[in-house]
Amino acid sequence: MNRRTSAIPVSSRQRGVALITALIVLAIAATLSAAMIWEGSLDTRRTGTLIQGNQAMEYALGAESWAEQILLRDVQKNPGIIDLGQDWAQQLPPLPVEGGQIIGHIEDMQGRFNLDTLAPGQAQSVYKLQFGRLLKALNLDPSIADAVSDWMNTNTVASPNGAKDDFYSRLQPPYLTAMAPMTSVSELELVKGVTPQVYAALAPYVCAIPVNTNPGGGQSQGGWGLNFNTASPLLLMTLADNITEDQAAQVVAARANQGITQAQFTSIIKAPNGPPAVPTSSYFMLTVTAEIGSTHVTLYSLLNLTGNTVKAVRRTFGTL
């Protein structure tokens, strides 16, 4: 019996190998091409985001310069008075700019209680009493005043209701007290007794601004002065134990038009042994968000007004 065998010609086998090789090369080329297109797209997006970020930052800094001019204009119109009827305190609608918009507002920090008055170098006992009144008014634990003072004080022994390194070093994670004035209100969250709920209640009424012992305008008696033309009624009542809601309301009503003077304030509220209260301010917080395309940049700028000069003394982007 004869067997018939069939064989694939060599030339056909070579053509098949060549075809498979070509297909493999084509697949590799397509993969590389897709990867290059993807990388190119990412590079384009990165470049666009970087450009938008730089543009937004410049707009935010431009808004800072504008805010400085507004403050100067207001203080020149009514020297010695900073009140809520002036232009700086008005909430503007979003301002359109090329590619997006700018949203911003200015807050008077001297309408708040300054946590750094609890640090050494100030008339600490007077401010500590004031802070205790603020805590009571907000239905918070008054012992937090001791803990905040201990956080900044250089003493190694804790107050009766405070805490020092021996307390914080046992926490998880452990840390040590600052033994220095606070640089941010958010630092308050590290202090004994300050829960997220406590922080949320305190945040609208406090600031953290290290001040000199003789800072000049907007300050008084070598310390931090609460501006009675911008402070909330609740904070006005923290100046002394005997201040009533009616007296605070009288101050708010009297200052409504163009602010009041020191004499007008003391005719309503008398707190000779309390912390300083003044009709003007030196420190303001500008919050401005620049939105360009899909990029948002938020600038927090602490502005210092001294005489006829306004300058940024602290800037942070994204967080206070």
Side-chain angles (χ1 to χ4, degrees), residues 71-141:
L71 284 170
L72 278 178
R73 186 177 62 195
D74 283 336
V75 77
Q76 289 168 356
K77 284 182 181 178
N78 195 4
I81 297 288
I82 292 292
D83 67 84
L84 296 174
Q86 294 170 328
D87 291 340
W88 67 266
Q90 309 313 306
Q91 179 64 59
L92 297 176
L95 301 177
V97 295
E98 183 179 352
Q101 63 179 2
I102 299 175
I103 304 170
H105 64 277
I106 304 174
E107 297 175 87
D108 177 20
M109 291 294 98
Q110 281 190 238
R112 300 185 176 200
F113 176 82
N114 186 2
L115 294 169
D116 284 343
T117 56
L118 301 178
Q122 300 286 330
Q124 190 178 12
S125 60
V126 173
Y127 292 110
K128 196 171 180 180
L129 288 172
Q130 183 187 15
F131 189 46
R133 296 185 196 106
L134 174 60
L135 291 168
K136 289 180 181 177
L138 296 173
N139 296 316
L140 302 176
D141 185 357

